Amino acid sequence: MYKRQELADDQKFEEDNHGLKFAIRPIKNFAIGRIEFPLGIIAEVNEHIDNVIIPKSDSFADGLVGQLKNDEKSAQLDFPLDDEVGKQLETVFNQIGTTYLKQGYDRDSKAEVFQCWSNHAYAGDYNPYHDHGCQTMAGLSGFLWLKVPNCIEVLDEVPTSLHDASGAIDGFTHLIWGQNSRRDVLQLHGQTEDFVKPIVGVMLVFPNWLKHQVMPFFGDGERRSMAMNWNVRDSDEELMKHMSAREKENFEKAKAEKEASS
């Protein structure tokens, strides 16, 4: 049935295009993962932050570029993964990162989250253009939005124009993976940036090299998020996909010698 339908579709396509057989080869750049958390989980995370993370007030700011400083409650705080809530989130985040690698890159690897922190931004706070570090050759970064003030919530999810000081991207996250302009896009160059509206319960995951920044906003309320980084541990099978025959032979020999000596 399906094969017959495919043949019929091919025949119709050829008829519509004067008998020409047409194929498109998209050139993949990279993948961004988008995950939606149940609001019940978000409420539990916020409760943990309010009752444990904020009272502990262990600043993470000395290793971050975020300019969160315009309110007495502005902060970037360490979110340990060694207590009950932290361990639960660690399990979830590792599953998310590993699934992202498999579905986004068909990569036989494991993602291991190794640091996490909460961002508490208020009017005038912002996060300048930056990327994240990791401890392995490949790495992942991400963030999960936990609270969004009304002045951001009321904005359109897809900004239509910044003209006339519209404030259409106040508080948005700006992802940048190239330098193409609007003119370049009209000339069929690929899109290389995106403004993403923060939505409570939504998480983004991306390669740690992806540059990004957070626009300031101006209004009452807290823009709260969690950010995290993963190391990527490749399996032997994944590593060997990219080796020559000689490299594979040496790799397997070294592995056997290591196992014999342990």
Side-chain angles (χ1 to χ4, degrees), residues 76-87:
Q76 297 171 98
L77 303 175
D78 184 28
F79 193 109
L81 298 171
D82 57 1
D83 58 17
E84 182 180 356
V85 173
K87 289 178 180 178

Side-chain angles (χ1 to χ4, degrees), residues 30-256:
F30 72 104
I32 296 177
R34 186 180 189 276
I35 302 93
E36 295 184 17
F37 279 70
L39 294 183
I41 293 179
I42 300 302
E44 291 178 10
V45 174
N46 276 322
E47 182 179 3
H48 181 71
I49 290 175
D50 289 335
N51 296 333
V52 178
I53 302 300
I54 292 177
K56 188 177 180 182
S57 193
D58 186 2
S59 178
F60 211 62
D62 62 348
L64 303 171
V65 301
Q67 302 299 302
L68 279 60
K69 55 186 174 59
N70 286 288
D71 188 280
E72 61 181 10
K73 293 178 289 187
S74 298
Q76 297 171 98
L77 303 175
D78 184 28
F79 193 109
L81 298 171
D82 57 1
D83 58 17
E84 182 180 356
V85 173
K87 289 178 180 178
Q88 291 175 350
L89 287 175
E90 180 182 28
T91 299
V92 173
F93 291 163
N94 285 346
Q95 182 61 49
I96 287 172
T98 300
T99 300
Y100 164 84
L101 289 168
K102 185 62 178 177
Q103 294 188 359
Y105 294 89
D106 193 25
R107 189 154 173 159
D108 186 12
S109 311
K110 290 185 178 180
E112 298 177 354
V113 65
F114 67 94
Q115 60 185 186
C116 184
W117 64 96
S118 60
N119 297 299
H120 306 263
Y122 292 83
D125 290 338
Y126 67 97
N127 212 325
Y129 185 72
H130 69 287
D131 56 25
H132 291 193
C134 67
Q135 301 159 334
T136 50
M137 182 171 292
L140 305 179
S141 297
F143 38 77
L144 169 62
W145 289 302
L146 301 171
K147 287 186 178 183
V148 178
N150 184 66
C151 60
I152 299 176
E153 279 190 328
V154 298
L155 299 175
D156 291 335
E157 189 168 343
V158 180
T160 54
S161 174
L162 298 181
H163 297 105
D164 198 26
S166 66
I169 56 170
D170 285 0
F172 279 39
T173 295
H174 186 199
L175 307 175
I176 311 104
W177 57 95
Q179 299 297 322
N180 285 353
S181 67
R182 182 174 60 178
R183 178 182 177 87
D184 292 324
V185 173
L186 292 173
Q187 293 176 340
L188 304 183
H189 287 280
Q191 176 186 356
T192 57
E193 66 175 342
D194 196 15
F195 286 98
V196 185
K197 178 181 177 178
I199 298 174
V200 171
V202 170
M203 180 183 197
L204 296 187
V205 181
F206 45 85
N208 73 304
W209 52 256
L210 180 64
K211 296 286 188 180
H212 54 285
Q213 59 186 340
V214 178
M215 303 292 110
F217 68 93
F218 305 93
D220 295 331
E222 177 188 6
R223 183 192 189 279
R224 178 184 293 183
S225 65
M226 289 179 65
M228 64 291 296
N229 292 320
W230 293 261
N231 290 320
V232 173
R233 307 292 181 184
D234 293 316
S235 66
D236 290 348
E237 290 74 18
E238 182 63 35
L239 292 172
M240 292 175 69
K241 288 179 184 177
H242 312 282
M243 295 181 185
S244 67
R246 181 183 297 174
E247 288 171 331
K248 288 180 181 178
E249 183 180 349
N250 290 336
F251 180 81
E252 290 175 337
K253 182 179 178 181
K255 180 181 176 182

